[in-house]
Amino acid sequence: MALSPKLDFRQSQSLVMTPQLMQSIKLLQMTHIELNQFLEQEIEKNPLLDLIETADGDFSDPDSAGKTEETESADPSFDEDWFRTDMTTQWASQTGAGDYDIEQMTASRRSLSEHVSEQIALAFPTPADRFIATALADALDESGYLRTDIYALAQNLGMESAHVEHILEKMQGFDPAGIFARDLRECLVIQLRLKDRYDPAMAVLIDHLDLLARRDFAVLKKLCGVDQSDLADMLREIRTLDPKPGALFEVDIADTIIPDVLVTPTHEGNWTIELAPAALPRLIVNNQYYAQVIRSVKAEEKSFLSDCMQTANWLVRSLDQRARTILKVSQEIVRQQDGFLRHGVFHLKPLNLRAVADAVGMHESTISRVTANKFMATPRGVFELRYFFTASIASSEGGGAHSSESVRHRIRQMIDAESSHAVLSDDAIVDALKQDGVDIARRTVAKYRESMNIASSVQRRREKKAEVGRP
C-alpha cells in the first residue's frame, strides 16, 4: 500500500473551557474575602465598574432578593467539653477572657518580646547582663520556651556558661510564670515553685509525666508516696498550670467568620433563608458614563471601552448566578437538615453531594465548590456548609440511616454521663447504640472515640477514680 500525504475532514464535538467559564468556576468557590479582593482588582482595571456597599444586600433581580422559606423552627442546645488527653489549657478559661470585649483585648495586646524587654530593663542594671538577657529573650518561641543551647550561646557571647545560667534563672521568675523554660517539665516546675507547691511528692509526679499521660495512677501513688486523695489534689493543681505561657502574647488573630447565608425562624414556624448582605457585593455597570464617552473617543479607545463593557456585563451576570447558586444549594440543605435545626445534632441526617446535586439539578462538582469555605448562620450557631454532609450509618431496625456526626454526639453524651463505677467499654457502647437503633461496629466506635480525643475505658476509669478520691 502506497503512503502519501492527504487531507481528511472530520467532525467531532468537545467541551472547551473558555477563559470566562473558568473564571465563573473560580468565582463560585471564592470566599467573600477573596471575592472582594478580586472585585477591587477588576474595578481598578475597568472604568465602567462600580461597587456599591448597601446595608440590605439587595441585588439586581427583585425576584431573587436572596430570601426563601422552609419549614420548622429551632431550639439551640449544644454542650461544650473540656480537654481530656493532653496538658493543654485554655488561657481564656483560666483568666475569664470571655468577659471582656475582644476588640479592646486585641487592641491592647503586646508582643511577648515587648513584655519581656520591659522586665529586662528593670531586672538587670548592668549593660552586659542586659545584653545576655536580650539574647536569651530573642531565643524564645511563641509558647514562651527557650529554644537555644546555653553553652553555645555563652560561647557566642564570650561569657562563662555559669553566668548565663545565672541570668536565665533570674529571667525564669519573669511574668508570665513559666516562660524561659526549656521543656514542659521545667515550665511546670517554675510555676509550682512560684506557688510554693513544689514539694518532694510533686517533684516525683512532674518527673513522671509519661505515667500521668497514660493515667497510670496506681504506679504514681506508689512513686509519690501519697494516697488517692492527695494524688487527686496534686492532679487538680497541675491542671491549673499553663503549659504555653507565651501563648497569651500571640499576635495572630483569627479572622472573624462572616456567614454567607442567614437562616432565621419565622413566626409561622418556617425558615427564612437569605444571603448575608456582608457577603453579597453589589456590582453595577456605569452605562451612563459609557454612553457619554464612547461618542467622543478614538477607534482604539472605543475598542478598549467595548471590551470593558463586555467584561463588566459578564461579571455582573456571573455574580448574580453565583448568588442564586449558593442560595439554591442552601435551601436544599435546610430542607434536608431541618430536623437538626429544630432538635439538634441527634437529628442530623446523612447527606452527600449527590443527593443535593440531584435535588437542585446541578453537578456534584458544582455543589462541592459552592459548599467550600461558605458558612451558614443558624439559631444553633454558624456552620460551614460542608458540616451538613455526613456519612450514613445503617439502622439496626431497618429504618432510616443515622448521621455519623449524630452518632459521635451520642457516644460523647454517653461517656460524659459515666460515673467511676460504671465506665462504658467500646462493646457496651455498641450494645447501647444498637438498642437505640444504630447498627455500628466496635472498631467504628473506637475510631469515633479516638477522633474526639476520648481515652479508653481503662484510662477513663483511672481518671474518674482519681477525681473523686476513691481507691
Side-chain angles (χ1 to χ4, degrees), residues 91-93 95-101:
W91 173 82
S93 301
T95 62
D99 298 332
Y100 298 95
D101 185 279

Side-chain angles (χ1 to χ4, degrees), residues 28-142:
L28 192 59
Q29 61 190 16
M30 284 182 182
T31 65
H32 71 276
I33 295 177
E34 294 170 340
L35 181 61
N36 285 333
Q37 292 173 346
F38 170 76
L39 293 180
E40 287 175 0
Q41 295 172 358
E42 290 297 313
I43 290 171
E44 289 180 0
K45 296 186 295 185
N46 195 330
L48 302 181
L49 284 174
D50 287 317
L51 186 63
I52 298 179
E53 296 181 2
T54 60
D56 56 6
D58 292 339
F59 54 96
S60 55
D61 187 353
D63 295 331
S64 59
K67 288 190 176 182
T68 187
E69 288 190 356
E70 291 292 341
T71 59
E72 307 303 346
S73 59
D75 177 23
S77 59
F78 284 98
D79 296 327
E80 297 182 0
D81 49 44
W82 187 250
F83 70 92
R84 289 177 177 267
T85 60
D86 57 39
M87 291 294 296
T88 303
T89 57
Q90 298 180 3
W91 173 82
S93 301
Q94 296 175 346
T95 62
D99 298 332
Y100 298 95
D101 185 279
I102 188 63
E103 293 183 358
Q104 295 177 358
M105 291 289 293
T106 55
S108 62
R109 289 178 71 183
R110 297 177 300 166
S111 68
L112 180 60
S113 176
E114 291 172 340
H115 186 69
V116 170
S117 295
E118 291 182 359
Q119 298 178 75
I120 290 175
L122 297 173
F124 301 103
T126 66
D129 287 350
R130 284 199 299 270
F131 188 83
I132 297 171
T134 301
L136 290 170
D138 290 340
L140 287 179
D141 67 11
E142 60 183 10

Side-chain angles (χ1 to χ4, degrees), residues 7-256:
L7 295 175
D8 278 336
F9 292 96
R10 296 182 182 179
Q11 210 172 26
S12 63
Q13 290 182 337
S14 62
L15 180 63
V16 178
M17 291 283 287
T18 65
Q20 287 189 339
L21 178 58
M22 294 176 64
Q23 191 62 65
S24 295
I25 293 174
K26 290 182 179 179
L27 284 177
L28 192 59
Q29 61 190 16
M30 284 182 182
T31 65
H32 71 276
I33 295 177
E34 294 170 340
L35 181 61
N36 285 333
Q37 292 173 346
F38 170 76
L39 293 180
E40 287 175 0
Q41 295 172 358
E42 290 297 313
I43 290 171
E44 289 180 0
K45 296 186 295 185
N46 195 330
L48 302 181
L49 284 174
D50 287 317
L51 186 63
I52 298 179
E53 296 181 2
T54 60
D56 56 6
D58 292 339
F59 54 96
S60 55
D61 187 353
D63 295 331
S64 59
K67 288 190 176 182
T68 187
E69 288 190 356
E70 291 292 341
T71 59
E72 307 303 346
S73 59
D75 177 23
S77 59
F78 284 98
D79 296 327
E80 297 182 0
D81 49 44
W82 187 250
F83 70 92
R84 289 177 177 267
T85 60
D86 57 39
M87 291 294 296
T88 303
T89 57
Q90 298 180 3
W91 173 82
S93 301
Q94 296 175 346
T95 62
D99 298 332
Y100 298 95
D101 185 279
I102 188 63
E103 293 183 358
Q104 295 177 358
M105 291 289 293
T106 55
S108 62
R109 289 178 71 183
R110 297 177 300 166
S111 68
L112 180 60
S113 176
E114 291 172 340
H115 186 69
V116 170
S117 295
E118 291 182 359
Q119 298 178 75
I120 290 175
L122 297 173
F124 301 103
T126 66
D129 287 350
R130 284 199 299 270
F131 188 83
I132 297 171
T134 301
L136 290 170
D138 290 340
L140 287 179
D141 67 11
E142 60 183 10
S143 297
Y145 285 81
L146 185 66
R147 300 303 185 188
T148 189
D149 181 74
I150 295 297
Y151 181 79
L153 179 64
Q155 290 287 96
N156 291 337
L157 297 177
M159 303 292 295
E160 292 292 332
S161 58
H163 186 66
V164 177
E165 284 277 3
H166 174 72
I167 298 295
L168 174 61
E169 183 178 353
K170 192 170 183 178
M171 296 179 76
Q172 287 179 342
F174 280 9
D175 176 76
I179 60 171
F180 289 99
R182 284 159 284 192
D183 52 37
L184 175 61
R185 177 195 170 279
E186 190 172 35
C187 179
L188 301 181
V189 168
I190 292 170
Q191 296 177 63
L192 289 168
R193 280 177 173 161
L194 291 174
K195 291 184 173 186
D196 197 24
R197 285 288 288 117
Y198 191 64
D199 52 37
M202 186 67 81
V204 175
L205 180 59
I206 295 299
D207 287 339
H208 294 85
L209 291 177
D210 56 332
L211 295 178
L212 180 58
R214 296 201 300 268
R215 293 172 174 80
D216 199 342
F217 301 121
V219 175
L220 285 173
K221 281 192 300 181
K222 294 179 181 178
L223 291 174
C224 297
V226 297
D227 59 19
Q228 193 76 24
S229 178
D230 289 336
L231 181 62
D233 288 338
M234 294 164 66
L235 296 180
R236 281 190 288 269
E237 187 72 39
I238 287 178
R239 290 192 183 97
T240 66
L241 307 179
D242 189 352
K244 295 182 179 181
L248 167 63
F249 300 92
E250 287 180 353
V251 296
D252 294 332
I253 307 300
D255 292 332
T256 302

Side-chain angles (χ1 to χ4, degrees), residues 207-416:
D207 287 339
H208 294 85
L209 291 177
D210 56 332
L211 295 178
L212 180 58
R214 296 201 300 268
R215 293 172 174 80
D216 199 342
F217 301 121
V219 175
L220 285 173
K221 281 192 300 181
K222 294 179 181 178
L223 291 174
C224 297
V226 297
D227 59 19
Q228 193 76 24
S229 178
D230 289 336
L231 181 62
D233 288 338
M234 294 164 66
L235 296 180
R236 281 190 288 269
E237 187 72 39
I238 287 178
R239 290 192 183 97
T240 66
L241 307 179
D242 189 352
K244 295 182 179 181
L248 167 63
F249 300 92
E250 287 180 353
V251 296
D252 294 332
I253 307 300
D255 292 332
T256 302
I257 293 177
I258 299 178
D260 300 86
V261 182
L262 305 178
V263 179
T264 54
T266 65
H267 294 295
E268 296 79 16
N270 299 324
W271 292 112
T272 297
I273 307 167
E274 58 185 334
L275 296 174
L280 186 65
R282 185 180 180 187
L283 200 68
I284 63 170
V285 181
N286 196 333
N287 291 291
Q288 184 178 0
Y289 175 75
Y290 175 77
Q292 290 175 350
V293 176
I294 194 68
R295 294 191 297 266
S296 59
V297 296
K298 299 177 181 179
E300 299 168 352
E301 295 168 337
K302 282 185 179 180
S303 176
F304 169 74
L305 286 174
S306 297
D307 290 341
C308 288
M309 176 60 72
Q310 183 180 3
T311 301
N313 286 328
W314 164 81
L315 192 53
V316 170
R317 289 194 302 269
S318 296
L319 288 176
D320 182 71
Q321 184 61 40
R322 176 183 184 272
R324 292 171 185 271
T325 304
I326 294 174
L327 185 62
K328 192 172 184 180
V329 172
S330 299
Q331 291 172 6
E332 180 61 22
I333 290 175
V334 170
R335 189 186 72 81
Q336 294 271 6
Q337 301 292 6
D338 70 337
F340 160 76
L341 296 173
R342 192 210 303 186
H343 302 295
V345 73
F346 274 160
H347 297 268
L348 190 65
K349 290 176 57 179
L351 188 63
N352 56 38
L353 296 175
R354 177 177 290 278
V356 174
D358 292 343
V360 300
M362 298 178 184
H363 195 271
E364 284 184 61
S365 62
T366 302
I367 307 301
S368 178
R369 293 186 179 96
V370 170
T371 55
N373 300 314
K374 308 292 191 309
F375 293 86
M376 178 185 291
T378 74
R380 292 192 170 275
V382 179
F383 303 96
E384 188 177 3
L385 293 183
R386 286 190 173 179
Y387 172 84
F388 298 101
F389 294 87
T390 62
S392 63
I393 295 177
S395 171
S396 60
E397 299 172 352
H402 302 271
S403 161
S404 60
E405 193 64 33
S406 68
V407 174
R408 281 189 179 90
H409 190 69
R410 291 192 193 193
I411 294 172
R412 163 66 73 186
Q413 285 195 328
M414 292 167 65
I415 291 176
D416 286 344

